[in-house]
Amino acid sequence: HPASCQRGDSPLSRFAKAHSEPLGPLGDADSSPLSPERLPPLGRVYCLSPSVALQGRVGYNLKDYYFKKAKTENYAARSVFKLQEIDERFKILKAGYKVLDLGAAPGSWSQYTSKKIGPQGRLLGIDLQKVALTLPNAVFVQASILDVNLEELFTSEGIAPPFDVVLSDMAPRTTGIRVTDQARSMELCEMALKSADRFLRPRGSLV
């Protein structure tokens, strides 16, 4: 749900509440799609809390059904199924698309996206950690999204905007200090939104 993406009354909070697709406790969206007049200039924004799949569950097990399913299907992480669920409902990834993946490591979202966009598509993944994957239509750069010059990076890697889709599953390195961790998480959310505002094509999708 948009409210789970950010609390309070920041610009990001107001934007998400106004323009996000409402997702239910299990990631299921409202049956009524957004009307054209409600769509933001950059397109649709899909927000899903990292803890959404855990709501209402007791005794959360890191090696649960989805962990085992990800391993069986050779995905780098169970988080791939968050993106898969959104894509299956809203059809945001298509053959030939150009995609920017922020916070790409360990790479499960990039793996899924690579398959969907096909050989004619391009994917640029950025993460502070190294992505230990080789995908035929993807390039990965180890860098901090907060420090890297995206325009220079696009030029050096030969992938020029606008992008059809901007993905962000970024999360800060936690300190255990709640206020600090929330502030860092908010900073990354705002950076993703700014990147989409600058480099996403009209009516593209930000996830």
Side-chain angles (χ1 to χ4, degrees):
H1 190 280
S4 67
C5 298
Q6 172 60 29
R7 298 176 181 176
D9 193 35
S10 69
L12 177 58
S13 176
R14 292 193 296 271
F15 183 92
K17 290 177 182 177
H19 300 301
S20 298
E21 288 286 2
L23 299 179
L26 297 179
D28 189 19
D30 190 322
S31 59
S32 301
L34 288 176
S35 58
E37 63 269 20
R38 289 182 57 202
L39 288 173
L42 60 80
R44 292 187 174 184
V45 181
Y46 305 89
C47 296
L48 184 62
S49 166
S51 62
V52 103
L54 311 181
Q55 294 175 2
R57 294 171 61 183
V58 179
Y60 169 51
N61 180 7
L62 284 174
K63 295 186 177 181
D64 66 357
Y65 167 79
Y66 289 104
F67 173 88
K68 295 174 182 177
K69 181 176 173 63
K71 291 298 183 183
T72 300
E73 298 182 16
N74 294 317
Y75 283 115
R78 65 197 296 279
S79 57
V80 65
F81 301 113
K82 295 190 294 183
L83 177 61
Q84 183 182 51
E85 185 174 1
I86 292 174
D87 182 48
E88 287 178 352
R89 184 168 183 88
F90 298 105
K91 314 300 181 187
I92 62 172
L93 294 168
K94 298 180 180 180
Y97 267 17
K98 191 184 303 181
V99 179
L100 177 62
D101 188 358
L102 305 176
S108 63
W109 282 28
S110 294
Q111 288 176 294
Y112 178 83
T113 299
S114 175
K115 295 177 182 178
K116 295 292 293 189
I117 62 178
Q120 300 304 315
R122 297 294 306 279
L123 183 147
L124 175 61
I126 305 172
D127 200 289
L128 191 60
Q129 300 180 39
K130 182 178 180 180
V131 178
L133 291 174
T134 300
L135 301 173
N137 52 1
V139 174
F140 296 105
V141 176
Q142 186 175 4
S144 169
I145 187 62
L146 300 176
D147 300 326
V148 69
N149 185 312
L150 289 176
E151 289 92 341
E152 292 181 359
L153 183 60
F154 297 153
T155 300
S156 65
E157 298 300 335
I159 304 178
F163 293 90
D164 299 288
V165 178
V166 173
L167 303 175
S168 175
D169 199 24
M170 293 188 290
R173 290 179 176 174
T174 56
T175 64
I177 303 173
R178 185 173 182 179
V179 173
T180 300
D181 294 340
Q182 287 179 337
R184 291 181 176 179
S185 182
M186 177 62 185
E187 184 178 25
L188 293 177
C189 287
E190 291 183 335
M191 178 59 71
L193 184 59
K194 290 177 182 177
S195 299
D197 190 45
R198 294 174 63 192
F199 304 119
L200 191 63
R201 67 167 171 81
R203 301 181 71 82
S205 297
L206 165 64
V207 180

